[in-house]
Amino acid sequence: MNKFDKLDNFTMDLLDHLFSGSDDKSAVQTYQVSSIQELFSKSISEDLTGNIVDLFQVLKKVRSKHGLSPMAFNLSREDLSGLALKHQDIDEHQVSIGGRVNRARPIVEEAGSRVDWYLEQKDVSAPSGIELWDRIEDNHSRIRQILGMTDKDWNSFSGQLKFAIQSLDTLGRILRLPPKAMEEVGRVTRSYRMRLTPYYAGLIMPGSLEDPVLLQAVPTGEMVDNAGIEIPPVAADHSPARLIDQFYPRVVTIKATNMCAMYCTHCLRIAHIGKKDRIYKSQAYEEALDYIRRDSRIRDVLVTGGDSFMLPNEMIARILTELDSIDHVRVKRLGTRIPLTTPQRVNGELLDILDKSNEKKPLRVVTQINTAQEITPVSREAFKQISRRVSAVMNQAVLLKGINDTRVKMWKLCETIHEAYVRPYYIFNCSYRNPQFAHLRVPVEKGRDIVESMYGNISGDAIPRYIATAGGKIPLHRSNVVGVEGNELILRKPWSDEEVRYPDPAPEEYARKDFAFEKYREN
Ligand SMILES: *Cc1c(COP(=O)(O)O)cnc(C)c1O
Ligand code: SF4
């Protein structure tokens, strides 16, 4: 048996191709000779695959560009066959040179073209708060000065809350918005709460009416003007006990507070949040815990709000201790957006409480980050500290028009949070229940295009599930979309086969460019 019989067809094809070129030495440039001969001698002397791959790649290039065979460089078929054998002998998986050079490398190159556009655009069209940090720090020192905050105020949660921007007047001192927009904010905030901590307000890039943080935090006229049927709050259908929401037999949520450090313009719980901060009676928590104690099917309890980190530390500790003492409760979750809106809240005492509860039974933190701009070095550090004390930190993003409804923005969001110790978990199609934020809705199909575009292009564990909330969370896989009637989808609940109607935003509504702050643009 000839020793070259060990060469596979890919390699034989590659060699045939190379040696089908011309051996006319006069067509050869001297620099080509020296670089090829240098690669050849390195391939012989060193036990590395890289030199051999480089040599074959160069030979392939001069064959296709100049029509030259290796013979033009005094390399025989026997020389190259020998190197081909050496290559597969060195390689741990006996990959042939033909496979590597003619197959794997072109396949990787081809795949690269699927992400190169993203790599070019991601830091330009969807910069993270880490990339914008210099500008954010400038905003922070400006805001701090305007509000007259001391270091202590700035660095404490109570200071951030005390100086939170809640009035039109304060907003006007911090952000320059068109007069018409300010008028509208004034009108809307008579009916809905606005609150931005000074830290979070600093994430807004001044001068842009399309800023994704501005759009999330400062309400616009649509919030009161959007006509439409107000659908009764989820609680009417799904609250079997005081403070409790329940969609599933084994998971419940405790809406432990109606307060948040900032109020989102797209808040799903807007009805529950109400118009002013409330302190709940301790009997309310007792009754909620009692409900959980009595139903041994419940194994997973999500403490949410509002924002669960608005509760004082001793309250969080108490609720977690109670839950840990219930035998059938096996895992707990805390829902909070505070690590990104007010990372100053994440102090040692809180971290110890999380750690202690996680020691007993797994504790997870569920957050809501909607744009890479919300991740700064400070919030990333807060998530890092939290992630060391809990069993997982997971993100539920809401798909929002103008905020994260393009491939580049959503890929960038998922990668940025993945790099900030947070696992992308859900992307919610923005609910149709509340007309207040109908202008921020994105069609189901558009969201599916964005989520499906991630497969194969970003890490699998940075890809979230795409969900419609319609009396439970329905994954928007094609198999759950059982029909379309005009503008409504018919969705199937996978757990009960029940069908529900799910209105999509009207295409012409989604196509409108003059929404939110854009409509106040002055030409
Ligand atoms: C989101 C939510 C849950 C949790 O759902 P998972 O799919 O388990 O993450 C449970 N109950 C209510 C009321 C919810 O809104
Ligand atoms: S953090 Fe959650 S509960 Fe609070 S305003 Fe935003 S969406 Fe609503």
Side-chain angles (χ1 to χ4, degrees):
M1 173 177 148
N2 185 325
K3 64 178 174 172
F4 294 134
D5 287 351
K6 273 169 71 189
L7 298 178
D8 67 2
N9 287 339
F10 298 133
T11 304
M12 298 309 280
D13 287 349
L14 176 58
L15 289 170
D16 289 347
H17 171 68
L18 294 180
F19 284 94
S20 67
S22 136
D23 57 5
D24 175 8
K25 294 192 174 60
S26 68
V28 169
Q29 312 273 329
T30 43
Y31 78 91
Q32 293 173 326
V33 177
S34 65
S35 75
I36 286 175
Q37 281 176 351
E38 190 188 335
L39 274 173
F40 180 71
S41 57
K42 272 165 78 180
S43 298
I44 299 282
S45 61
E46 295 172 2
D47 278 343
L48 295 174
T49 59
N51 301 320
I52 304 173
V53 172
D54 288 349
L55 175 64
F56 275 83
Q57 299 254 73
V58 172
L59 290 172
K60 204 178 146 184
K61 208 160 122 201
V62 294
R63 168 68 188 85
S64 69
K65 256 179 110 177
H66 308 288
L68 293 170
S69 132
M71 301 286 273
F73 304 93
N74 300 323
L75 298 177
S76 68
R77 188 161 175 133
E78 173 125 20
D79 290 335
L80 293 189
S81 300
L83 286 182
L85 276 182
K86 177 172 177 179
H87 177 276
Q88 67 194 48
D89 282 347
I90 296 173
D91 189 84
E92 280 67 21
H93 303 110
Q94 287 80 52
V95 175
S96 71
I97 190 72
R100 186 153 282 160
V101 168
N102 260 3
R103 311 257 314 157
R105 295 281 170 120
I107 288 170
V108 170
E109 261 323 294
E110 163 75 29
S113 65
R114 295 202 312 263
V115 296
D116 285 342
W117 66 271
Y118 167 68
L119 298 176
E120 270 162 37
Q121 287 176 36
K122 70 185 181 79
D123 298 351
V124 184
S125 27
S128 74
I130 295 171
E131 287 137 17
L132 293 170
W133 186 238
D134 286 349
R135 292 177 63 190
I136 292 171
E137 280 196 304
D138 287 348
N139 295 343
H140 281 162
S141 55
R142 181 174 49 84
I143 292 170
R144 217 161 135 160
Q145 200 164 28
I146 294 170
L147 298 176
M149 294 175 75
T150 63
D151 275 2
K152 197 165 156 236
D153 294 329
W154 186 268
N155 294 320
S156 69
F157 185 51
S158 58
Q160 287 286 333
L161 285 186
K162 184 173 151 203
F163 288 90
I165 298 142
Q166 311 195 63
S167 72
L168 187 63
D169 172 58
T170 323
L171 184 72
R173 287 160 60 209
I174 302 284
L175 286 179
R176 208 177 302 281
L177 291 171
K180 177 74 180 147
M182 289 302 284
E183 220 174 89
E184 293 280 277
V185 174
R187 184 164 68 94
V188 176
T189 48
R190 282 198 284 279
S191 313
Y192 294 103
R193 283 194 285 186
M194 173 182 70
R195 177 187 283 160
L196 293 83
T197 55
Y199 167 87
Y200 194 69
L203 306 190
I204 297 171
M205 293 299 123
S208 167
L209 295 180
E210 297 167 352
D211 185 274
V213 179
L214 174 73
L215 287 170
Q216 288 183 68
V218 179
T220 53
E222 289 100 332
M223 219 163 161
V224 283
D225 295 341
N226 284 353
I229 337 140
E230 181 95 33
I231 294 152
V234 173
D237 282 351
H238 295 286
S239 182
R242 204 169 173 182
L243 300 189
I244 299 278
D245 272 349
Q246 185 164 12
F247 290 148
Y248 314 113
R250 310 197 65 197
V251 193
V252 299
T253 64
I254 309 179
K255 292 166 292 177
T257 171
N258 80 328
M259 295 184 260
C260 300
M262 61 82 57
Y263 290 105
C264 309
T265 54
H266 56 274
C267 176
L268 180 72
R269 295 174 187 268
I270 199 159
H272 163 67
I273 292 291
K275 298 186 182 169
K276 60 181 209 302
D277 292 351
R278 292 173 56 200
I279 304 283
Y280 298 162
K281 291 194 167 68
S282 56
Q283 295 102 299
Y285 299 105
E286 283 314 320
E287 286 196 34
L289 288 164
D290 242 5
Y291 177 81
I292 296 168
R293 272 186 208 106
R294 280 187 205 161
D295 186 348
S296 61
R297 283 178 296 203
I298 298 169
R299 66 175 282 281
D300 184 353
V301 179
L302 170 55
V303 182
T304 167
D307 192 309
S308 69
F309 280 14
M310 285 299 282
L311 297 168
N313 282 344
E314 43 305 354
M315 190 69 192
I316 295 177
R318 228 179 76 204
I319 294 175
L320 290 174
T321 307
E322 288 297 336
L323 292 174
D324 283 324
S325 74
I326 302 171
D327 192 46
H328 55 264
V329 172
R330 301 297 163 84
V331 288
K332 303 93 53 185
R333 299 185 240 183
L334 294 174
T336 178
R337 205 159 142 65
I338 279 178
L340 63 143
T341 65
T342 328
Q344 294 79 5
R345 168 74 178 91
V346 182
N347 57 23
E349 193 183 78
L350 175 65
L351 292 170
D352 285 346
I353 292 166
L354 304 183
D355 193 36
K356 217 167 122 189
S357 178
N358 187 54
E359 277 297 312
K360 293 183 198 143
K361 295 171 192 177
L363 173 65
R364 287 168 281 156
V365 164
V366 184
T367 190
Q368 186 208 132
I369 311 165
N370 296 319
T371 163
Q373 195 165 317
E374 290 170 304
I375 293 292
T376 66
V378 180
S379 51
R380 183 179 178 276
E381 178 64 23
F383 282 120
K384 177 178 164 186
Q385 295 302 330
I386 294 169
S387 74
R388 289 166 58 179
R389 270 69 167 201
V390 299
S391 58
V393 185
M394 308 189 298
N395 188 53
Q396 309 188 328
V398 186
L399 180 63
L400 295 163
K401 179 174 163 183
I403 293 172
N404 54 23
D405 60 338
T406 64
R407 289 185 180 192
V408 66
K409 288 177 184 171
M410 193 56 91
W411 291 23
K412 180 69 181 281
L413 169 66
C414 291
E415 290 195 342
T416 306
I417 63 179
H418 194 222
E419 291 159 24
Y421 302 83
V422 179
R423 161 86 165 84
Y425 167 42
Y426 281 153
I427 292 178
F428 293 127
N429 184 268
C430 188
S431 171
Y432 67 90
R433 300 183 73 97
N434 308 75
Q436 292 91 336
F437 46 79
H439 59 292
L440 297 175
R441 296 195 66 214
V442 177
V444 166
E445 185 61 39
K446 171 86 188 172
R448 195 156 54 199
D449 170 72
I450 292 172
V451 176
E452 289 186 353
S453 74
M454 293 188 204
Y455 287 93
N457 292 324
I458 72 174
S459 311
D461 83 327
I463 303 175
R465 275 168 276 177
Y466 182 39
I467 302 285
T469 314
K473 295 181 173 76
I474 307 177
L476 284 166
H477 306 148
R478 284 174 210 283
S479 58
N480 290 333
V481 182
V482 294
V484 181
E485 277 178 25
N487 230 19
E488 286 190 335
L489 307 175
I490 317 289
L491 301 183
R492 181 184 67 95
K493 297 188 178 185
W495 57 90
S496 65
D497 274 345
E498 183 196 342
E499 291 183 0
V500 287
R501 289 179 168 268
Y502 189 81
D504 230 4
E508 60 278 11
E509 196 54 41
Y510 178 62
R512 283 178 67 148
K513 298 273 181 263
D514 60 334
F515 75 110
F517 290 94
E518 270 306 320
K519 66 181 183 298
Y520 308 131
R521 185 182 288 282
E522 293 163 328
N523 298 311

